[in-house]
Amino acid sequence: MSKPLIVGAVAYTPNVVTIWEGIRDYFAGSASEMDFVLFSNYGRQVDSLIDGTIDLAWNTNLAWVRTVAQTDGACRALAMRDTDTVFRTVFVARTGSNLGGLDGLKGRRLALGSKDSAQAAILPVHFLDRNGPGADEVELLRIDSDVGKHGDTGRSELDALRAVLDERADAAAIGINTWEAIGREELMPGAFEAFWESPTYSHCNFTALPRVPEERTGPWLERLLAMDWDNPEHRPILEMEGLRRWVSPKLDGYASLVEAVKEQGISARW
Amino acid sequence: MVSHGLVLDLVERVGTVARHGTVSVPLGEGDPEELAATVAAWCARSGNELVEVRGSRAVVRRGRSPDPLAELAPDLVPGTRLWMYTNFDCNLACDYCCVRSSPQSARRALGLDRVRRLATEALAAGVSELILTGGEPFLLPDIDELVTVCTAELPTTLLTNGMLFRGRRLEALRQMDRTQLALQISLDSATPEQHDGHRGRGSWERAVAGIRTAHDEGFRVRVAATLPYEQTHELAAFHTFLDSLGIAREDQVIRALAHRGAADNGIELTLESLIPEVTVTADGVYWHPVSADHDDQLVTRDIFPLQDAITEVRRRFTEQRAQATAAAQWFPCA
Ligand code: SF4
């Protein structure tokens, strides 16, 4: 039996333990056993991937982009969730605001999530520049309530929505997952309406460095991709992790974030 | 008008616990019914479970709790067995009788028609065994007919003190179907003192004679002892005695005395601590045979349709287990 692959993940909620124990158990007894190590933030996780403490990292899109930058592109992405290939940022305002699109934000207040959140801070600024009036034309209210976790907790996005409800902001930029979690426009009639949805981009992936050869990651990947929504033993893991199936990475989906990081001079250690 | 912060709070707080963990979320200002409906709608949509709304707070579980019925051993699922209290009156007045039976108790009989219908509906409802208990069923003049309508449908156990197998009652016993019926006779000890101390002088001797009679008549005989909890581990002599009567080891049943009915002490059995055994009496459907004389464990006055009663018992059990699990998570003992 070869040594188990060690996968790193960031513990943004206690449920992460349950999720990774489930995934570890799924691999137990296979030709590619794995174990996991939890980190308190993505900066530390990427450092540990680079120094060889872990073999694979379950990285956010920002952590991936930073790993690419720090390894001169030598890292490779192995797989992502189906939901990671079609991630979007949603701009929402109070129902009836009729902002009509990003241009409606000119001269208004936009609440953003934590500064290291691709979906709720970095990409919204990028979209304002590319598709709207330019970030300079909008008053940005930054809510850094979960820095280090790249927005995974969703807390800063909920705080951004609260800012809209409290009229401290006219709109908020949140991830599609948070928009779904609050039930879109349906569960709180009269609260929020979406007025702009971004193009899709890629979110998380399993990242490996060349030090871990494909002979080791190949069987692991094959087993990962075999997780089956219709299998009642696999289903709870997939539900908890928010996907129906694991898919090959969609790398062109990172282009917008690569540009945004460059334009905004994002720090390498977040 | 629902406070919009409620849904944001739900997302945030449920996000802070692991799967199957529960959180208590304040409902906030507004119409309580509307707020509760919002929580229910959010839970349904997000795959989480509303455990309960208590006062101004909602208790929500992350994910859905496992089905408590699916977690039970198959033979413990409520509705696997159907208990029927045939009468309630008894020739004895045991000091620990859980339903306070005695010669003075008024007869509250189910009667042949209801027993027949129950047996038929039990078969249709997926029940696999019928259990008849008294007071003392052999006081009923038509006990052989009651047993026959049961054994015609399902394997049946008849609980008795075994003291009345003479004359026409012995004849009634002989009419019963030995292939479908087991007798369960109460005997508490290997010697008369303990048994007679609770059940009356001379009762041990007559019970032992009844066990021998039933056994000689070719019936499967189970012997059930009711003992104070602290004695339930000192049973070697008792088992040796029952072996000598020809009772198979698996038919030697020991029950801990319950603090119910006439009993002054015994283990406490509450709705929460008992896995239900659907029990029908002339007064209605009860949670468990030990509580068939206690309104706190009355499930419904409607005996028919039996399927509805079984469904209701299962529903309450599921709901209660979910709440108990949630309560256990509120008070973790570090
Ligand atoms: S315990 Fe049984 S035998 Fe004793 S009084 Fe109650 S019903 Fe009668």
Side-chain angles (χ1 to χ4, degrees), chain B residues 9-22:
Chain B
D9 290 348
L10 283 166
V11 175
E12 178 162 342
R13 295 201 187 203
V14 172
T16 62
V17 294
R19 181 166 180 251
H20 295 164
T22 53

Side-chain angles (χ1 to χ4, degrees), chain B residues 96 194 198 226-233 255-257 265-266:
Chain B
Y96 53 55
Q194 182 170 347
H198 292 289
T226 304
L227 298 176
Y229 179 71
E230 55 280 11
Q231 288 175 19
T232 53
H233 63 292
R255 300 170 302 198
L257 176 60
N265 45 42

Side-chain angles (χ1 to χ4, degrees), chain B residues 10 35 46 75-76 84 98 126 173 208 210 213 225 229 259 273 293 297-298 322:
Chain B
L10 283 166
L35 292 163
S46 58
D75 74 322
L76 292 182
M84 292 181 246
C98 65
L173 174 68
V208 172
T213 301
Y229 179 71
H259 186 195
S273 66
D293 196 34
Q297 298 197 17
L298 173 72

Side-chain angles (χ1 to χ4, degrees), chain A:
Chain A
M1 178 73 59
S2 58
K3 263 178 49 184
L5 278 172
I6 306 297
V7 181
V10 167
Y12 61 89
T13 148
N15 205 39
V16 167
V17 176
T18 313
I19 293 171
W20 287 96
E21 284 181 344
I23 296 178
R24 181 189 59 195
D25 293 349
Y26 167 77
F27 281 90
S30 76
S32 50
E33 299 211 335
M34 61 157 277
D35 207 339
F36 62 93
V37 174
L38 297 180
F39 294 88
S40 74
N41 62 77
Y42 281 99
R44 187 72 64 213
Q45 173 166 297
V46 170
D47 288 348
S48 300
L49 177 67
I50 289 171
D51 73 18
T53 307
I54 55 175
D55 299 312
L56 303 177
W58 177 238
N59 270 339
T60 58
N61 41 3
L62 179 63
W64 161 253
V65 169
R66 302 317 294 153
T67 310
V68 170
Q70 291 180 54
T71 61
D72 290 330
C75 56
R76 63 187 193 278
L78 301 181
M80 53 176 55
R81 300 169 297 190
D82 49 2
T83 41
D84 285 310
T85 63
V86 289
F87 215 87
R88 275 104 73 205
T89 292
V90 185
F91 285 69
V92 305
R94 288 303 298 259
T95 305
S97 301
N98 292 325
L99 292 180
L102 290 185
D103 284 332
L105 281 173
K106 193 169 178 183
R108 295 186 192 273
R109 302 161 300 171
L110 175 69
L112 297 178
S114 290
K115 60 188 173 185
D116 59 0
S117 165
Q119 65 269 18
I122 302 169
L123 285 169
V125 168
H126 175 78
F127 296 134
L128 284 174
D129 286 338
R130 294 295 161 96
N131 307 80
D136 293 346
E137 298 293 322
V138 179
E139 190 185 324
L140 300 178
L141 173 68
R142 291 185 177 273
I143 299 175
D144 290 326
S145 32
D146 58 353
V147 173
K149 297 190 168 61
H150 294 188
D152 279 353
T153 68
R155 213 180 96 205
S156 66
E157 293 167 53
L158 296 170
D159 286 341
L161 291 170
R162 290 187 181 108
V164 175
L165 289 177
D166 298 347
E167 297 180 4
R168 286 179 285 125
D170 300 298
I174 60 175
I176 184 73
N177 54 339
T178 299
W179 185 229
E180 296 284 1
I182 67 167
R184 293 176 165 263
E185 278 140 0
E186 290 133 41
L187 280 186
M188 293 183 278
F192 299 110
E193 64 186 16
F195 63 91
W196 194 76
E197 200 168 296
S198 78
T200 59
Y201 52 86
S202 292
H203 207 272
C204 298
N205 74 51
F206 284 107
T207 311
L209 261 51
R211 185 176 43 75
V212 184
E214 290 200 18
E215 297 88 82
R216 288 198 70 205
T217 57
W220 182 87
L221 184 56
E222 198 177 316
R223 175 105 183 114
L224 181 80
L225 296 176
M227 230 185 253
D228 179 5
W229 179 260
D230 293 323
N231 182 323
E233 282 179 24
H234 305 176
R235 179 83 157 256
I237 305 169
L238 296 165
E239 281 178 346
M240 280 189 288
E241 187 53 23
L243 71 154
R244 286 184 84 96
R245 62 192 186 95
W246 296 100
V247 298
S248 296
K250 188 171 178 286
L251 292 180
D252 58 3
Y254 291 116
S256 53
L257 185 61
V258 169
E259 283 173 29
V261 163
K262 205 181 295 169
E263 289 160 6
Q264 295 171 41
I266 302 293
S267 154
R269 278 290 176 273
W270 280 352

